[in-house]
């Protein structure tokens, strides 16, 4: 990796971390709704996203905004999403990524299908399925890995093992010592990587993506990381994890690490770091502004994307709906 | 034009859809070499190869979930669920995924997926193989539900379903697969989704059915005709979107309606039809809408199913009851 | 007797059920140390230990499927599905297993299982967390479906559900968890499953609701009262088995009925209620049964849900429409 | 194992094989409905069942009648089942087994629950989940193994790898070389055993059952066998498997093998074998007779076991139902 690439990573991580923290605060101020912070997992997400080709697919869960952002989804989207705006699902046309999805592990099968479609159409695209440690318990996770292995689909499963599924530690989720070893059940390659080390994540995914793209079959990556914050703004982790453990595990977080590396290698100075912080602040301010200035959604739009064409019954329902809503969007009554 | 059974018509539809559009592919359990347990996909594997006719692992959620990805990725998957009762395994991928991708992505993505499944009773299957649970799917916004009742209908509706940009559940009445033959054009033709079909005109009672109950309804209508009761039989063909207009026009004329389905009574789709009739044709109704349905029990074992399933007798009695009310 | 919120009443019911019967256990995601994401199981893990209050892996099919085994094996599992929308993952274990073991084994085995799930809108959740899909379960023979609307109801019905020898789906309206307090006896008491409840007597219009729509219905009734329209509000409390008698008696008196639910309109349980009313009270009806429901779209994002959900206005208008018909 | 035990096994295998063949013929004669033959898999099923304690649980699929029969379910039951008689599900009170179940892999979770219940109630019971190679692709299979491993439930998963799931060869079902290796995903013990060798199956299960009973956690057994016949009477295996392969794989079938062993060891003579055949014939004749003489089910019984008590709506429906059925059980109309 070039020095510039590393510095760029740093800029991304810092910006994304700040965005995440800002989102948390916005929720606390009542300006956005429930929000699932990704702090601590930026390296897994950005490292993976950066290692892909532009046309590759990403299938994300609710916590994977850092990956989407790196791919080009505006920074305002996670905020819009927590503001309950429908457009947060409208991934810009130029980006091959599915909107975030909350049903645990369901997106892993979509990734298999997308990879399969690429295979059938000789598109050379790889699909990445992000999911969490908790997701490995779901039937869909298993069905994904099995199907992908049988058809040798070009999928990379990236499990972010952040140690927790809400209040459930990994040890209650599985009896196996690692997630990577689950690859053995499917005779595919399984790798455990330090998910807090963006260079390791990037290089692992880079290498595996090439291999997968060349028809080497699916791979399973366990990126070991730590969820620095709560599960969501509605969660209180002090109920179930000790401050002690928390302190210990937080130390490995990816930004401090990359910063130390950059400093030790003489690549960035304190001044540079301050500039990055400054720049991040600007970008995050802009994102907040963009989200808050984003046009309100027309309530009636709820009918617009159920089917390609509005069916007769839905037309009637929309007419009835209109009678309950004022033109400006306020509720009648 | 040849006289085909329904299973042949379906097989032919799949064949010409695959010929015409490279993106169309068939996937499911035993659909390849074996040609499907009912032979719906017979010969397709030989013609189109194993990239387009794919035997999947035994995992319904994987079949539908990967189809969602295939569809978004530019293919036009036609997925087979071997028996409708096994669709329970794929409920999440249908109910929260396939049917909501367009909505979730605000139109950026859509899922042109057809899910085919044989369904219904009368063929002496083991447990779970005969269930009629179409009502679940008619209650899933974003999904269409189509049920043919004849070979001609089956082919035309299936071709439309494959052309449709949104996910369509296509339910095939097992007991009609080989129950009779009908002239079916050799070529491509489409029948509009969302349109009901009047299979017998009449003016005294409207009898509403779909899938396996359509011939039973016609039988009952024939019997009523002997008694000079003129029954109009409507085959809904599509449950969602429902062709309310055809139903209401008929009931406004007849003033009486009977709706029949194999599914358990409570919460069956007959309730929706009944509710709509009384909503839209209240003043025309001379008698309550009568439902003739399966009972609120699991689908029975083969030795009992003939007693359990709605038949022309029960329908005929309902017609009489509607008339005499 | 103390004034409790619904979530407290549920928590108390679980506690005394576990105290009284060693076989009762609670399992699900985050139900242990965390006390459940809504705190329904708060304190139980501390009181009863981790053999009886079990954090399971994140797998709904496993939660229900293993509960079926637990129940057959002599336990009385109370399984939590964290949000109703995730029950899609367990559909097979509910629809073809829990609900059919008694039938399949001809009474040799039965499944005393309670499945608790928070449901409904109005609380600004992410996608899939607010879905009202009770209609699916009211169409599953062998299963009971119970939905409390007040703290007192919640405790009594939950205790009955836990006592019941058959599987019961117990749906808890999220937005009523902490919406108000009610006097709830400290001790054990049971409320009959399968009995509707008249929460406001009246004689001009019958308004039928369940769960989260009950207070909305009461609000609408209050507003109508100002206009001297006397509305009888029925809280169904149990969808299966349905207390048809209470509904019909009321409609025979009022001649008019409105039924309300959050769920999408087509195929919602309102259709069943409507169908039954016109089947059994046809000659009493002065107006069609009106349904006030969610629309046939996926549950909307938070910024739109208030527009989408049925509210007292829409109900009031429906009451007016029924009166003026 | 004692000589007598081996001879007893032989008697069981021969009787069960004959029953299976008879069932096939009865179906062909139209005297019973669809039937799923277990020929070839008797050793897996009987060997396993024999190694259990009387109170242990068995959770069977549609093809596991040999296991159930060995546990004491009357030989007439598989026939009754294919005659569509509801009582085929009514496992006699003395036997801890669930009725056969057709939804692939669903019963594996019931076994976990039963084992768990045993654990909680200190009953020392082990639960056995039978399933097929195809079943390993299902989400429920994975969720079972994972949950069982986390709670260390006393379950034995017996996967009968009969090489086929209807027309799908194992190689299309999974990319892994074995099923046993899937145990590695859960850090539980996985064992591959020759499922055509009843002694091996018996000894393996015996040993593992003891270990499982003592709290050693769940185990996964892959019993490698071969489905000698069609998937069911509705299936035509010549469509998808070659006669060549079929001949080769059939050779390992368990009865011939046990017979050779007994003969070579001098434990049984041709005369003894003939006597076993004779006895089997009698038993199978009796089973057929019992099934055919079994009282017809009252159609009305369809209402009897939906709930403990008939609900009001169901009472009304039963009344309506009665009006369509003649007292003798014939249909009116
Ligand atoms: C099928 C399903 N069940 C339950 C939930 C509720 N839920 C949301 S997140 C979560 C924990 C997920 O843990 P993990 O997969 O480790 O991802 P993380 O949240 O740690 O990123 C749960 C139980 C859900 N969204 N989907
Ligand atoms: C969930 C589900 N999907 C599909 C089927 C249809 N089906 C019945 S048996 C079978 C193959 C099962 O193969 P395997 O698990 O290897 O068991 P075997 O039949 O070989 O004993 C299939 C696909 C089913 N019964 N259940
Ligand atoms: Mg996690
Ligand atoms: Mg097999």
């Amino acid at each position: 990796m070039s020095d510039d690439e590393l510095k760029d990573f740093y800029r991304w991580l810092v910006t994304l971390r700040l965005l995440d923290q800002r989102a948390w605060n916005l929720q606390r101020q009542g300006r956005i709704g429930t929000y699932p912070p990704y702090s601590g997992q930026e390296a897994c997400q950005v490292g993976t996203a950066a290692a892909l080709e532009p046309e590759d697919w990403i299938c994300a869960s609710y916590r994977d905004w850092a990956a989407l952002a790196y791919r080009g989804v505006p920074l305002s989207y996670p905020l819009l999403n927590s503001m309950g705006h429908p457009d947060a699902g409208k991934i810009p046309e130029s980006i091959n990524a599915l909107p975030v999805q909350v049903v645990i592990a369901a997106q892993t099968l979509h990734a298999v299908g997308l990879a399969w479609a690429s295979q059938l159409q000789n598109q050379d695209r790889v699909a990445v399925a992000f999911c969490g440690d908790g997701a490995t318990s779901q039937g869909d996770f298993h069905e994904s890995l099995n199907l992908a292995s049988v058809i040798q689909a070009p999928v990379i499963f990236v499990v972010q093992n952040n140690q927790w599924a809400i209040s459930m530690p990994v040890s209650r989720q599985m009896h196996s010592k690692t997630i990577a070893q689950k690859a053995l059940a499917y005779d595919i390659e399984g790798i455990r990587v330090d998910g807090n080390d963006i260079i390791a994540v990037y290089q692992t995914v880079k290498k595996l993506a090439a291999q997968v793209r060349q028809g080497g079959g699916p791979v399973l990556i366990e990126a070991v990381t730590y969820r620095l914050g709560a599960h969501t703004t509605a969660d209180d982790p002090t109920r179930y994890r000790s401050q002690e453990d928390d302190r210990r595990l937080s130390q490995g977080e990816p930004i401090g690490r990359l910063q130390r590396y950059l400093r030790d290698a003489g690549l960035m100075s304190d001044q540079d770091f301050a500039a990055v912080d400054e720049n991040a602040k600007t970008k995050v301010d802009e994102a907040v502004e963009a989200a808050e200035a984003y046009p309100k959604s027309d309530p009636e739009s709820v009918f617009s994307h159920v089917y390609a064409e509005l069916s007769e019954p839905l037309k009637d329902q929309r007419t009835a709906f209109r009678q309950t809503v004022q033109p400006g969007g306020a509720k009648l009554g | 034009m040849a006289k085909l059974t329904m299973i042949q018509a379906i097989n032919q539809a799949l064949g010409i859809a695959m010929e015409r559009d490279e993106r169309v592919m068939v996937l499911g359990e035993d659909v390849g070499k074996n040609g499907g347990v009912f032979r719906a996909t017979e010969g397709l594997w030989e013609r189109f190869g194993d990239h387009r006719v794919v035997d999947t692992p035994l995992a319904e959620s994987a079949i539908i979930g990967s189809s969602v990805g295939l569809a978004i990725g530019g293919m036009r998957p036609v997925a087979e669920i071997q028996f409708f009762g096994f669709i329970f395994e794929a409920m999440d991928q249908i109910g929260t995924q396939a049917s909501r991708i367009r909505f979730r992505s605000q139109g950026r993505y859509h899922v042109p997926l057809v899910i085919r499944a044989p369904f219904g009773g009368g063929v002496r299957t083991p447990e779970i193989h005969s269930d009629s649970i179409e009502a679940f799917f008619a209650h899933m916004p974003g999904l269409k539900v189509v049920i043919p009742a004849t070979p001609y209908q089956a082919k035309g509706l299936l071709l439309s379903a494959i052309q449709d940009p949104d996910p369509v559940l296509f339910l095939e009445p097992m007991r009609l697969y080989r129950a009779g033959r009908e002239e079916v054009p050799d070529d491509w033709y489409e029948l509009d989704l969302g349109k009901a079909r009047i299979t017998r005109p009449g003016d005294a009672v409207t009898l509403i059915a779909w899938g396996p109950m359509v011939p039973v309804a016609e039988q009952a209508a024939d019997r009523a005709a002997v008694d000079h009761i003129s029954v109009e039989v409507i085959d809904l063909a599509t449950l969602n979107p429902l062709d309310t207009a055809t139903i209401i026009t008929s009931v406004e004329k007849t003033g009486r309606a009977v709706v029949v389905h194999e599914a358990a009574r409570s919460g069956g789709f007959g309730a929706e039809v009944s509710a709509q009739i009384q909503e839209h044709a209240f003043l025309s109704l001379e008698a309550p809408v009568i439902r003739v349905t399966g009972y609120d029990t699991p689908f029975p074992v083969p030795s009992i199913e003939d007693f359990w399933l709605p038949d022309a007798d029960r329908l005929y009695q309902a017609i009489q009851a509607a008339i005499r009310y």
Side-chain angles (χ1 to χ4, degrees), chain A, chain B:
Chain A
M1 296 198 64
S2 74
D3 295 347
D4 279 351
E5 282 171 322
L6 285 177
K7 289 191 223 166
D8 193 50
F9 274 169
Y10 182 77
R11 276 189 291 271
W12 270 104
L13 297 200
V14 168
T15 307
L16 289 166
R17 175 69 57 87
L18 190 66
L19 177 66
D20 197 55
Q21 289 167 340
R22 187 73 64 85
W24 179 272
N25 293 335
L26 290 173
Q27 192 282 334
R28 287 299 187 250
Q29 295 161 16
R31 286 157 74 188
I32 68 173
T34 309
Y35 176 81
Y38 51 73
S39 280
Q41 300 178 217
E42 296 91 345
C44 304
Q45 295 183 29
V46 172
T48 300
L52 303 177
E53 297 299 319
E55 300 250 287
D56 289 343
W57 283 101
I58 285 194
C59 302
S61 86
Y62 48 88
R63 205 185 294 291
D64 300 317
W65 286 106
L68 293 178
Y70 188 88
R71 298 292 281 182
V73 172
L75 296 182
S76 54
Y77 268 51
L79 306 177
L80 276 181
N81 190 58
S82 288
M83 290 161 79
H85 199 295
D87 284 2
K90 199 170 181 170
I91 303 287
E93 284 288 342
S94 58
I95 301 167
N96 280 343
L98 300 190
V100 299
Q101 196 287 112
V102 304
V103 180
I104 300 295
Q107 76 278 4
T108 62
L109 281 166
H110 308 163
V112 178
L114 286 163
W116 190 357
S118 156
Q119 206 181 35
L120 289 168
Q121 297 167 104
N122 297 313
Q123 288 172 326
D124 265 356
R125 292 183 195 168
V126 161
V128 169
F130 280 109
C131 71
D133 42 295
T136 65
S137 296
Q138 283 285 355
D140 275 1
F141 176 79
H142 167 70
E143 296 191 13
S144 290
L145 269 77
N146 188 53
L147 174 59
S149 75
V150 169
I151 60 173
Q152 291 287 294
V155 198
I156 305 178
F157 298 96
V158 178
V159 181
Q160 294 171 71
N161 178 356
N162 66 3
Q163 315 302 325
W164 294 94
I166 309 187
S167 74
M168 303 270 299
V170 181
S171 60
R172 255 331 272 179
Q173 204 65 246
M174 66 196 71
H175 181 64
S176 65
K177 279 170 287 297
T178 71
I179 292 169
Q181 77 193 70
K182 295 182 188 295
L184 295 170
Y186 315 97
D187 270 341
I188 63 172
E189 190 167 340
I191 280 205
R192 196 167 208 242
V193 64
D194 182 342
N196 291 334
D197 178 347
I198 193 166
I199 304 175
V201 172
Y202 174 81
Q203 286 178 337
T204 304
V205 177
K206 193 89 193 167
K207 179 173 152 270
L208 291 176
Q211 169 185 325
V212 163
R213 205 181 305 279
Q214 278 157 35
V219 298
L220 170 64
I221 299 176
E222 174 183 5
V224 182
T225 180
Y226 185 66
R227 193 190 78 204
L228 289 175
H231 170 69
T232 67
T233 45
D235 176 49
D236 172 10
T238 65
R239 294 179 69 93
Y240 53 80
R241 63 186 193 188
S242 72
Q243 278 198 309
E244 174 64 29
D245 283 357
D246 196 28
R247 195 162 331 105
R248 190 171 45 79
L249 285 159
S250 301
Q251 274 160 15
E253 72 79 32
I255 300 186
R257 239 162 109 167
L258 182 57
Q259 194 185 36
R260 281 190 295 278
Y261 177 84
L262 291 167
R263 180 183 284 122
D264 293 353
L267 294 174
M268 285 177 78
S269 65
D270 280 351
Q271 220 178 329
D272 295 334
F273 292 134
V276 168
D277 289 346
E278 203 49 45
N279 179 270
K281 200 179 159 306
T282 310
K283 285 207 171 129
V284 170
D285 286 345
E286 282 166 12
V288 175
E289 214 170 301
E292 295 198 325
Y294 199 93
K296 271 202 179 169
S297 61
D298 180 355
E300 185 180 309
S301 71
V302 76
F303 293 97
S304 307
H305 302 292
V306 184
Y307 300 99
E309 270 180 57
L310 215 59
S311 62
E312 288 306 317
L314 275 175
K315 272 184 207 158
D316 294 344
Q317 291 186 20
R318 190 178 57 182
T319 305
F321 182 84
R322 279 182 182 151
Q323 282 156 16
T324 70
V325 182
Q326 279 173 342
K331 242 178 126 168
L332 288 175
Chain B
M1 196 112 120
K3 285 205 152 208
L4 302 184
T5 61
M6 184 185 290
I7 196 83
Q8 290 169 330
I10 288 166
N11 181 262
Q12 198 181 76
L14 292 171
I16 63 173
M18 293 184 77
E19 235 161 48
R20 189 161 127 151
D21 184 346
E22 277 210 319
R23 300 169 305 171
V24 176
M25 63 183 287
V26 160
L27 70 164
E29 296 156 10
D30 307 292
V31 299
K33 230 182 202 177
N34 198 40
V37 295
F38 289 102
R39 310 291 172 243
T41 55
E42 178 145 37
L44 299 180
W45 178 76
E46 291 81 351
R47 279 166 71 192
F48 300 102
D50 49 18
H51 283 288
R52 291 182 64 201
V53 183
V54 186
D55 278 329
T56 63
L58 208 175
E60 287 76 13
S61 188
I63 293 171
I64 305 304
S66 65
S67 290
V68 169
L70 283 165
I72 295 173
M75 303 298 295
R76 296 211 158 236
V78 181
E80 177 174 305
I81 296 293
Q82 200 162 75
F83 290 87
F84 193 28
F86 304 133
I87 206 163
F88 277 105
E89 306 286 8
M91 219 63 143
D92 177 65
Q93 286 291 347
I94 301 171
T96 78
Q97 305 300 328
S99 61
R100 302 202 202 196
I101 296 282
R102 182 187 287 282
F103 189 80
R104 181 180 303 152
S105 71
Q106 291 288 293
R108 161 79 202 270
Y109 300 114
H110 65 284
V111 179
L113 160 66
V114 176
I115 304 171
R116 294 180 40 248
F119 89 117
V123 293
R124 308 267 181 278
T125 67
E127 200 197 10
I128 320 292
H129 288 70
S130 292
D131 284 35
S132 288
I133 47 173
E134 64 274 17
F136 297 159
F137 301 90
H139 189 48
M140 286 184 186
L143 185 70
K144 297 183 180 178
V145 180
V146 176
I147 310 181
T150 76
Y152 176 80
Q153 288 282 307
K155 180 171 170 185
L157 290 171
L158 182 51
L159 289 174
S160 292
I162 294 173
Q163 285 294 97
D164 200 277
D166 289 303
V168 178
L169 177 67
F170 191 83
L171 295 175
E172 304 168 0
M174 263 188 278
R175 68 157 119 166
L176 302 186
Y177 267 158
R178 297 182 170 81
R181 288 172 181 274
E182 189 179 22
E183 296 275 358
V184 174
D186 300 328
D187 292 337
W188 182 285
Y189 64 95
E190 291 178 35
L191 295 172
D192 281 355
L193 306 186
K195 289 269 169 289
R197 183 176 68 104
I198 294 173
T199 81
R200 292 270 196 291
D203 52 32
V205 178
T206 302
L207 183 45
I208 298 149
W210 52 90
M213 286 294 110
V214 172
V216 178
E218 289 169 340
Q219 237 179 295
D222 291 345
R223 180 154 351 148
V226 176
D227 297 336
H228 308 290
I229 304 172
S230 161
V231 175
E232 180 146 298
V233 176
I234 297 179
D235 167 14
L236 289 184
T238 302
L239 302 193
N240 186 9
L242 184 63
D243 182 358
T244 309
T246 298
I247 301 171
I248 299 308
T249 306
S250 176
V251 178
E252 278 169 357
K253 173 175 66 179
T254 61
R256 295 176 161 86
V258 174
V259 50
V260 56
H261 57 67
E262 284 189 26
R265 184 178 191 80
S266 294
F269 194 72
E272 179 64 34
V273 175
S274 172
Q276 293 224 17
I277 291 173
Q278 67 88 40
E279 277 159 19
H280 299 294
F282 185 74
L283 295 177
S284 310
L285 280 177
E286 314 266 357
V289 183
I290 300 177
R291 288 184 289 169
V292 177
T293 68
Y295 299 94
D296 286 333
T297 76
F299 194 91
V301 292
S303 67
I304 298 180
E305 70 176 314
D306 285 346
F307 297 98
W308 191 92
L309 286 167
D311 57 13
D313 288 331
R314 282 176 64 197
L315 274 182
Y316 179 73
Q317 267 146 39
I319 291 166
Q320 289 276 3
I323 293 283
R324 294 214 197 99
Y325 192 82

